[in-house]
Amino acid sequence: IQSMSVGIFDMSGRLLSRQEVSGSGPTLSWKGLSADGKKLAKGVYLAVVTIQGVNGEVLRKVHKFVVR
């Protein structure tokens, strides 16, 4: 993996948080906070994970999750 990013969106498509890392073996951790440091409200959200391989190939997956 060359780089990885994760964007957290509400169900209306508004970007709430985004993290990016690069280098070999990148690791991300997210504490359930929006970009302004506020805890996410209960509800359904989308996580968009984008991974770029060293060969330039890009893989993007969307995951739905619930905050309770």
Side-chain angles (χ1 to χ4, degrees):
I1 293 174
Q2 182 176 346
S3 65
M4 178 170 55
S5 68
V6 177
I8 305 297
F9 296 84
D10 63 17
M11 292 305 289
S12 68
R14 185 172 56 115
L15 178 64
L16 302 174
S17 177
R18 182 174 181 84
Q19 294 185 4
E20 298 181 44
V21 292
S22 60
S24 62
T27 302
L28 287 173
S29 67
W30 177 63
K31 301 204 186 299
L33 304 175
S34 63
D36 61 3
K38 295 180 182 175
K39 187 175 178 179
L40 291 186
K42 293 178 182 179
V44 179
Y45 297 90
L46 298 174
V48 179
V49 180
T50 305
I51 299 171
Q52 182 174 4
V54 292
N55 62 357
E57 181 181 359
V58 175
L59 173 65
R60 182 169 289 131
K61 296 286 185 176
V62 178
H63 301 272
K64 189 186 304 184
F65 67 97
V66 176
V67 173
R68 295 182 180 189

